Amino acid sequence: MSEILSNLAQDCHRILSEAPGPDGRKKIADLLQNLLSDPANVETLVPLTTGERDLLYQDAELGFCILAHNYDSPKTSPPHDHGPSWAIYAQARGETEMRDYNKIEDASAKKVGKVQVSRTYRLTPGVAHVYNEGDLHSPTREGPTSLVRIEGTDMSKVKRFRYELA
């Protein structure tokens, strides 16, 4: 593990231990914005050889994960939340158009939920954004992009419901 990743993991652990809610997540987003303002840190955390979802670190005590993502072509994800968890997206390279949504109808295992766009904005290099529990959003990448994402838990193991535009 690189020193940059080790320091990030330690800082996240300390911050989340002291402030496990939205205030702590905001502090981590600020930390990521500062960290990703240095191209050397970007190259260390998200080299161009990174896949679409590389788990860099998972905290044994608190469960949060640090991931690196590299997309070499356009990609759009459907509206989603992070189930019972949260996530922080920190843009490293390229741009991501994000949409936030208001929930119109709840989703369940048997029913797709309905949403309506509430806001559209861009994540540019060095910008980090917190998505708390229940926040519905979707990213669109029109070209190559890279990001660091911190999740409250390993989302690859969490079942989530589907949403679509109303």
Side-chain angles (χ1 to χ4, degrees), residues 47-108:
L48 291 175
T49 56
T50 299
E52 286 195 8
R53 185 183 196 280
D54 289 0
L55 178 64
L56 303 179
Y57 173 83
Q58 183 166 11
D59 191 82
E61 181 184 344
L62 301 179
F64 71 86
C65 298
I66 301 173
L67 301 112
H69 302 271
N70 193 52
Y71 301 95
D72 58 8
S73 58
K75 183 172 185 168
T76 297
S77 296
H80 65 277
D81 62 17
H82 290 267
S85 190
W86 51 268
I88 302 167
Y89 288 58
Q91 195 75 26
R93 291 184 202 92
E95 289 190 11
T96 300
E97 181 179 270
M98 295 297 285
R99 286 187 182 88
D100 291 347
Y101 298 91
N102 292 322
K103 188 185 315 179
I104 305 300
E105 292 179 20
D106 287 331
S108 69

Side-chain angles (χ1 to χ4, degrees), residues 114-133:
K114 302 289 185 188
V115 297
Q116 182 178 44
V117 176
S118 62
R119 173 170 90 122
T120 301
Y121 52 99
R122 293 206 171 271
L123 298 182
T124 56
V127 173
H129 191 85
V130 177
Y131 299 93
N132 289 305
E133 296 88 344

